[in-house]
Amino acid sequence: MSTTFPVQQTAKRGQWREGSGAKLWLARNASQLALAPSVAIILLAVYGFMVWTGVVSFTASKMLPTYEFVGFDQYWRLWSNPIWRIAVDNIFIFAILFIAIASIIGMALAILVDQKIRAEGFFRTIYLYPMALSFIVTGTAWKWILNPGLGIERMVRLWGWDSFRFDWLVDPRFAIYTLVIAGVWQSSGFVMALFLAALRGIDEDITKAARLDGAGSFQIYRRIIIPQLGPAFLTVFVILTQQAVKSFDLVVALTAGGPGNSTHLPATFMYMQTFGRDQMAVGAASAMMIFMTVTAVVAPYLYSDVRKQRDDT
Amino acid sequence: MLNRNLVLATALLLSGSTSMALAGGPNVEVMHYWTSGSEAAGLNVLKKLLEERGVTWSDSPVAGGTGMNMVQVLRARIASDTAPAAAQMHAQQVQAWASEEVLTDLTDLAKKDDWAKVIAPELVPLISHDGSYVAVPVNVHRSNWLWYNKKVFDSAGLQPPTTWDEFNEVSEKLLAKGVTPLALGGQPWQELDLFENAVLGIGGADFYRKAVIDEDEAALRSDTMVKVFDQLRKMNKYIDSNYPGRDWNLATQMVIKGEAGMQIMGDWAKGELSLANLQPNVDYGCVPAPGTKGSYVWLTDNFGFFKTKDKDKQAGQLAMASAILDKGFQEAFNIKKGSIPSRIDVSMDKFDFCGKAAFADRAEAQKSQKSLPSLAHNAAAGATKTGVFTDVVSTFFETPSVTSQQAIEQLVTGLKSAQ
Amino acid sequence: MTHDGIVLERGGRYHLRRVFIYCCLMFIAAVYLLPLVVVVFTSLKNIDEIRNGSLLSLPKAPTLEAWQQAWSDACIGLQCSGLKGFFLNSMILIVPAVGLSTAIGAINGFALTHWKFRGSNVIFALLLFGVFIPFQIILIPMARSLGTVGLANTMPGLILVHVVYGIPFTTLFFRNYFVSLPAELVKAAKVDGAGFYQTFFRVILPISIPCIVVAVIWQFTNIWNDFLFGTTFTSGDNVPVTVALNNIVNTTTGVKRYNVDMAAVVLTALPTIAIYVLAGKYFLRGLMAGSVKG
């Protein structure tokens, strides 16, 4: 254990007494020991499996893993697959729009709900409930709503607006944006809750003082309140980023990658190659690309967080 | 360590209540994706038959992704060394598993029950591997069916098309009458269904073999293939604009309601039609897809059995393999499922008009070498190559800017990298 | 605690603004409710009405027949006894899985904040990275690992998987919550000679309720709604209810009964919706109490 975890340097302070060695050692390293099982299991189940996936990506594995190595062939195969390139473009479009819109709408909802309204709990629950449902549950309903022949477009036309069009779901150029809509619907309520909690934590005296100085509401939010939401923004960013990277059910339920393979994301591509196309190694190669991208996006956040904590202590 | 103790304690506590142990005696765990309606009802016949024969059936349904979810779960089970006794698989999946050497050899049973004589001959190469039998076919579906609404056709004075040119003429007339000519669900496999029917209907059986089964580059680059893709492009205007992602049964509904004139779909469509109380030859008609008369494009569902050392499981596997080819089961199951028996010697008296027609057409196609494996349903090519066809055809069909030549180019390069 | 100053303008402009705010709130609420409304309406129709009518229309003759079928008659594979038997599986799964992952997360969070050691920040970063792993990637190696320890295809195996991949989340929540607690609390206990677990149970745990609520709700939602792990690591009669639901709604070549599908959907979602409605207030309180402050 002590090789994994730098032992706290307390022994040299002379507090160590003879006789109760083992017990004292346990007490002194209680924190490390408490973390040890988690660290061990995450080392295996996250990092170990990542390494394993990396190994498989260099093999010729098809249905089941084999260990016949073929160098970078699978990566070449991966990048020559037009659908993978679509999936890569899509994840950036999707993640950026999803994170931005869900944050903005979540923030707007939080501000609206924060206006001393009646039935706040009622509204809050409605905005939050999509979080409780998976797309296995709501997928069919979403498909109907977004389908021009069944859902919103048909409804609006029945109301008399004959030229109304909302056919993104069936248009390869726009279908990816319907995924953003459904994704935002699911997650923006949670973002609202995060921001709302942060809003309520802000010292009222400051805003009162600003009001006395004649600042308008808009200015108060822009200059005083929103800048104080920094930590909440970071949490929102982590939660939304992990949701964007893992988006899978959303695609399966709404478009299954269509129309014309225009809405695949790396996760669905990886699943399809591994289990639908007997190309486990190509799937593994795509998984490695996902890992690398996530690391590139997340590492700066983790680094700054670790740095900040180190400065604090 | 508190955490670990908790995990262990809970594990012990729960393993009692959730143990997987079955009662002694022959048993079989069956993994399949026939999770609802007619297909589950059909499989239930097999379960009952096995229970009569003293075999315990343990059901492991995994729905979704047109079978892909089941494949995923099956791989995980094999990776964890807890393979189910039996699993549902399409023809080419049998071959794939057989080459991983995980399937039980059924040759002794096959000799005893004389499979070589009773199973449809075109299936035999795909259920055997290196000279041994490794799977049992449950049913045979036909994918080259054209379903049409008789009332719509009668009122427009139309006959069902027998060639793709006629199909285009009929479609123009239906369009003029304000009816959507073709009901289609824009899911990759449904588009691939259209493609394989166009390949066969325009190029004929030999061309189908060369292009789809052998993936012969000359055939793929031929003018005939250009015509096939041109025909698909034409069909863009014979379908409604809301087709992407639509489930096949919603497309069938359009034919039932008369919103659409025709649908090209396997014979499971009958389930939806009979649920709406429509009668074959009265309310709807079934004819071979345009240009495919005389050919029979088949797909089968098979059960393969995973190797095990457990004697009770082995007994259960053999009992199940034998029961699947039971004449009574073949009849009862296939009537429910809308398919025809994998045996060639089952009485067809109780089947409906389309079922009888399928059976007769298969017998004829077998004689003329025109019984062909379906590409869209994993009978003609392995998963990787089928995947290339699927991707190219679906992208082509739903992206108007792609030309037939480009699609062919993508097919050829894709198939090369799938080697 | 709302910002009185902002809304305290009186007069016409004030009223106009209130009306505007309420209109916004109602409109957004209607949009958010739409999918649920579609699901519930459909579940109350009979199959002919769905087949012939508009999918978004009000049910003409509402009936609970589909609900009853989904609960006790719908076929899931060859077993036609509805969803009811599978709720118990989900309960057996969810209680230990949520409990364990929350408990471990709490201890980890405490160790990483108030009982720090050199490298503890690195450990935290190491654990946190786990939240970004798409689970589809780890299915095969996880299956193999479970097979090695003899937990493959069992409920304890599934619980273990959920606990493992829940730890990064719960650790994140608790660590961010505990960071905001004053260090004096723990220092005082340490001076009194209390050890790690004594301090945790006597001092920290009693004031962690809000964060526990957050972690429990998060874990409950994720585990209840999980389909991928459930279908991969359990089978047959053992599967959680979401997997059973998938088997009802996700047929390939079978005939679809949308009303039963939708009723099954609502039944499956009821526990999570109930949790959000009942515990929503505590959820917000928990978030407010500091688990957002990074």
Side-chain angles (χ1 to χ4, degrees):
Chain A
M1 288 298 163
S2 57
T3 51
T4 326
F5 304 109
V7 181
Q8 223 172 357
Q9 303 287 313
T10 45
K12 66 183 174 196
R13 289 182 200 157
Q15 292 172 350
W16 198 34
R17 285 163 295 167
E18 293 284 332
S20 54
K23 211 176 163 190
L24 200 68
W25 186 84
L26 282 177
R28 199 152 280 156
N29 296 291
S31 186
Q32 289 94 319
L33 288 171
L35 280 164
S38 299
V39 171
I41 210 157
I42 294 294
L43 277 180
L44 172 75
V46 173
Y47 299 93
F49 292 174
M50 245 161 84
V51 170
W52 181 87
T53 308
V55 170
V56 169
S57 75
F58 291 107
T59 69
S61 304
K62 290 200 168 293
M63 290 185 89
L64 296 171
T66 58
Y67 298 98
E68 176 199 328
F69 289 92
V70 295
F72 282 90
D73 277 15
Q74 309 294 4
Y75 289 88
W76 181 83
R77 213 169 253 170
L78 175 71
W79 284 100
S80 65
N81 189 322
I83 294 180
W84 167 251
R85 294 209 293 268
I86 294 173
V88 171
D89 291 347
N90 279 346
I91 189 63
F92 286 108
I93 297 172
F94 175 79
I96 291 169
L97 288 177
F98 167 73
I99 295 172
I101 298 175
S103 307
I104 291 167
I105 291 187
M107 166 77 78
L109 286 175
I111 292 176
L112 278 175
V113 168
D114 198 33
Q115 300 300 313
K116 277 221 156 165
I117 54 159
R118 270 171 222 210
E120 184 196 313
F122 170 77
F123 285 113
R124 229 171 37 209
T125 309
I126 289 179
Y127 302 148
L128 202 53
Y129 93 91
M131 181 80 192
L133 307 177
S134 81
F135 278 103
I136 292 172
V137 165
T138 53
T140 313
W142 269 106
K143 239 158 96 170
W144 290 354
I145 291 168
L146 294 171
N147 188 298
L150 304 170
I152 294 174
E153 183 181 296
R154 188 185 138 149
M155 211 164 65
V156 175
R157 287 189 181 185
L158 285 177
W159 289 342
W161 183 356
D162 284 337
S163 59
F164 178 80
R165 277 173 67 113
F166 182 60
D167 55 359
W168 288 4
L169 185 69
V170 298
D171 189 329
R173 290 167 302 168
F174 295 110
I176 185 75
Y177 303 112
T178 62
L179 298 183
V180 177
I181 294 175
V184 166
W185 169 80
Q186 190 183 42
S187 299
S188 53
F190 187 71
V191 176
M192 171 203 73
L194 290 171
F195 279 134
L196 193 54
L199 281 177
R200 301 268 158 99
I202 289 172
D203 192 352
E204 271 183 73
D205 296 339
I206 306 174
T207 52
K208 272 188 185 147
R211 176 152 301 283
L212 287 178
D213 289 347
S217 324
F218 179 75
Q219 278 194 318
I220 291 179
Y221 272 106
R222 207 177 64 117
R223 299 262 161 101
I224 300 174
I225 298 178
I226 294 179
Q228 289 191 56
L229 299 179
F233 265 114
L234 277 179
T235 311
V236 166
F237 175 74
V238 171
I239 294 286
L240 291 179
T241 307
Q242 65 91 13
Q243 274 173 347
V245 172
K246 289 183 187 168
S247 286
F248 179 87
D249 292 350
L250 180 64
V251 182
V252 171
L254 254 70
T255 63
N261 293 310
S262 61
T263 55
H264 272 294
L265 293 180
T268 59
F269 178 89
M270 178 265 154
Y271 189 82
M272 185 177 74
Q273 290 295 321
T274 309
F275 300 113
R277 301 285 163 81
D278 290 357
Q279 293 276 33
M280 181 171 271
V282 176
S286 66
M288 290 316 287
M289 305 314 295
I290 300 176
F291 285 140
M292 288 181 210
T293 315
V294 168
T295 311
V297 173
V298 175
Y301 167 71
L302 292 180
Y303 181 73
S304 75
D305 197 81
V306 167
R307 273 280 297 266
K308 201 178 73 202
Q309 293 304 316
R310 194 168 287 159
D311 296 342
D312 288 352
T313 43
Chain B
M1 218 129 303
L2 180 71
N3 309 349
R4 190 161 297 164
N5 284 341
L6 271 170
V7 175
L8 276 179
T10 324
L12 286 173
L13 196 78
L14 283 160
S15 53
S17 61
T18 58
S19 85
M20 291 285 296
L22 290 157
N27 63 70
V28 61
E29 184 197 352
V30 184
M31 188 176 278
H32 61 95
Y33 51 89
W34 282 332
T35 53
S36 80
S38 48
E39 32 192 30
L43 204 54
N44 223 353
V45 179
L46 185 62
K47 181 185 173 186
K48 293 223 173 80
L49 183 63
L50 280 174
E51 278 166 359
E52 274 166 31
R53 298 181 180 179
V55 179
T56 317
W57 176 292
S58 151
D59 201 37
S60 288
V62 184
T66 48
M68 189 158 62
N69 287 354
M70 198 208 86
V71 171
Q72 174 242 309
V73 174
L74 185 54
R75 301 246 184 105
R77 291 283 297 275
I78 289 170
S80 66
D81 213 12
T82 53
Q88 180 186 355
M89 42 189 83
H90 276 147
Q92 289 288 341
Q93 290 166 335
V94 171
Q95 291 301 307
W97 282 121
S99 22
E100 299 283 344
E101 293 173 352
V102 287
L103 294 182
T104 303
D105 187 344
L106 302 168
T107 309
D108 290 343
L109 178 72
K111 283 203 176 119
K112 188 169 91 44
D113 290 355
D114 215 3
W115 288 7
K117 286 232 176 68
V118 297
I119 292 178
E122 66 272 25
L123 305 184
V124 172
L126 284 163
I127 56 164
S128 41
H129 191 81
D130 292 342
S132 318
Y133 283 92
V134 288
V136 204
V138 183
N139 62 346
V140 176
H141 273 298
R142 180 185 201 176
S143 92
N144 62 325
W145 274 125
L146 176 89
W147 311 89
Y148 64 99
N149 185 316
K150 254 187 131 68
K151 288 193 181 109
V152 171
F153 269 63
D154 290 349
S155 75
L158 294 171
Q159 289 297 314
T162 58
T163 65
W164 281 102
D165 287 336
E166 279 181 40
F167 176 88
N168 296 340
E169 284 164 32
V170 166
S171 295
E172 293 294 343
K173 284 179 188 152
L174 286 171
L175 267 185
K177 293 209 71 168
V179 176
T180 303
L182 185 69
L184 178 73
Q187 295 173 334
W189 68 270
Q190 296 187 51
E191 288 152 354
L192 199 59
D193 254 351
L194 276 192
F195 173 79
E196 74 180 24
N197 279 299
V199 169
L200 178 61
I202 292 171
D206 285 336
F207 180 72
Y208 184 92
R209 277 200 192 88
K210 278 202 195 108
V212 164
I213 303 175
D214 304 337
E215 291 107 20
D216 172 55
E217 190 172 334
L220 290 171
R221 287 188 187 280
S222 67
D223 291 344
T224 316
M225 194 51 98
V226 177
K227 275 187 207 148
V228 169
F229 277 105
D230 289 347
Q231 175 61 35
L232 286 184
R233 182 58 77 226
K234 260 184 213 152
M235 276 143 90
N236 278 161
K237 66 173 190 257
Y238 299 146
I239 54 177
D240 66 317
S241 58
N242 300 331
Y243 73 101
R246 177 187 288 145
D247 293 318
W248 68 270
N249 55 316
L250 289 179
T252 310
Q253 300 278 333
M254 294 170 64
V255 178
I256 293 173
K257 288 185 200 164
E259 288 168 11
M262 306 173 271
Q263 182 181 22
I264 290 173
M265 182 53 53
D267 32 20
W268 46 89
K270 275 195 292 185
E272 196 74 23
L273 291 160
S274 60
L275 200 80
N277 289 318
L278 300 194
Q279 298 300 320
N281 258 344
V282 180
D283 305 300
Y284 67 91
C286 51
V287 292
T292 68
K293 191 171 172 14
S295 297
Y296 189 98
V297 183
W298 54 265
L299 55 126
T300 67
D301 292 291
N302 309 273
F303 277 100
F305 302 90
F306 290 90
K307 284 180 182 162
T308 170
K309 292 205 173 74
D310 185 318
K311 286 270 181 289
D312 282 340
K313 281 188 186 156
Q314 287 174 352
Q317 289 177 329
L318 288 180
M320 180 170 166
S322 169
I324 286 172
L325 288 173
D326 178 273
K327 279 190 184 177
F329 164 72
Q330 286 269 327
E331 184 185 36
F333 176 86
N334 286 298
I335 287 175
K336 286 200 164 73
K337 181 81 170 72
S339 42
I340 62 173
S342 55
R343 285 181 78 116
I344 49 176
D345 57 349
V346 174
S347 157
M348 293 299 289
D349 294 344
K350 290 185 189 154
F351 284 75
D352 64 5
F353 172 83
C354 303
K356 284 177 185 147
F359 196 78
D361 287 355
R362 178 176 70 175
E364 191 199 320
Q366 280 164 351
K367 279 180 212 136
S368 56
Q369 305 293 316
K370 283 183 178 173
S371 181
L372 301 160
S374 158
L375 174 67
H377 302 274
N378 308 311
T384 312
K385 287 179 179 172
T386 306
V388 174
F389 278 105
T390 313
D391 291 346
V392 171
V393 169
S394 177
T395 306
F396 171 82
F397 195 76
E398 302 191 20
T399 321
S401 57
V402 184
T403 67
S404 301
Q405 280 301 342
Q406 284 169 336
I408 287 171
E409 206 52 48
Q410 287 168 6
L411 257 188
V412 172
T413 31
L415 286 169
K416 267 185 196 150
S417 108
Q419 292 303 318
Chain C
M1 300 240 290
T2 33
H3 308 286
D4 287 18
I6 296 165
V7 294
L8 275 181
E9 300 164 68
R10 291 288 165 190
R13 219 180 123 215
Y14 169 79
H15 281 292
L16 211 67
R17 183 194 210 136
R18 301 300 287 175
V19 170
F20 176 74
I21 288 174
Y22 279 104
C23 284
C24 280
L25 287 168
M26 308 261 236
F27 174 75
I28 300 170
V31 171
Y32 273 61
L33 279 175
L34 188 61
L36 189 65
V37 168
V38 171
V39 169
V40 173
F41 279 4
T42 309
S43 73
L44 297 172
K45 294 174 183 174
N46 68 37
I47 197 76
D48 291 327
E49 195 181 338
I50 296 170
R51 193 163 281 145
N52 300 321
S54 157
L55 291 170
L56 297 184
S57 65
L58 276 166
K60 278 178 213 133
T63 162
L64 281 177
E65 203 183 320
W67 287 62
Q68 193 241 318
Q69 279 183 11
W71 178 249
S72 58
D73 298 332
C75 293
I76 295 153
L78 304 191
Q79 209 181 8
C80 295
S81 51
L83 285 174
K84 62 176 191 284
F86 295 94
F87 277 89
L88 182 65
N89 292 343
S90 278
M91 293 315 294
I92 291 175
L93 161 69
I94 210 148
V95 172
V98 171
L100 279 171
S101 55
T102 308
I104 295 172
I107 292 168
N108 287 349
F110 174 62
L112 288 168
T113 49
H114 292 284
W115 220 270
K116 289 177 79 141
F117 49 90
R118 211 149 57 89
S120 59
N121 287 324
V122 178
I123 298 286
F124 173 61
L126 205 72
L127 293 178
L128 185 60
F129 192 76
V131 306
F132 295 99
I133 300 300
F135 294 143
Q136 288 79 16
I137 294 172
I138 52 85
L139 293 177
I140 297 292
M142 182 47 99
R144 185 154 286 180
S145 312
L146 287 177
T148 315
V149 294
L151 288 176
N153 203 20
T154 62
M155 191 55 95
L158 180 60
I159 293 170
L160 179 68
V161 174
H162 277 301
V163 171
V164 169
Y165 293 103
I167 286 175
F169 283 102
T170 53
T171 305
L172 170 71
F173 290 138
F174 279 103
R175 183 264 191 188
N176 282 3
Y177 179 77
F178 291 148
V179 149
S180 69
L181 295 179
E184 288 72 30
L185 276 175
V186 176
K187 273 189 191 136
K190 272 187 187 171
V191 168
D192 292 347
F196 179 84
Y197 285 103
Q198 269 177 317
T199 317
F200 176 73
F201 282 108
R202 293 211 188 130
V203 182
I204 297 294
L205 204 57
I207 55 169
S208 309
I209 307 294
C211 191
I212 293 174
V213 173
V214 173
V216 165
I217 291 182
W218 177 270
Q219 283 297 94
F220 188 97
T221 310
N222 281 339
I223 297 174
W224 188 274
N225 286 335
D226 162 74
F227 157 73
L228 191 69
F229 286 158
T231 189
T232 308
F233 301 122
T234 54
S235 67
D237 295 340
N238 261 336
V239 299
V241 70
T242 306
V243 178
L245 170 74
N246 180 65
N247 283 338
I248 291 184
V249 301
N250 232 334
T251 158
T252 39
T253 53
V255 168
K256 295 208 187 215
R257 294 190 299 165
Y258 287 114
N259 52 352
V260 178
D261 291 2
M262 293 302 180
V265 156
V266 183
L267 284 171
T268 309
L270 276 180
T272 36
I273 293 183
I275 287 251
Y276 273 70
V277 171
L278 296 176
K281 209 194 293 176
Y282 298 100
F283 185 38
L284 197 72
R285 213 173 272 168
L287 288 169
M288 269 164 64
S291 53
V292 279
K293 291 171 187 162

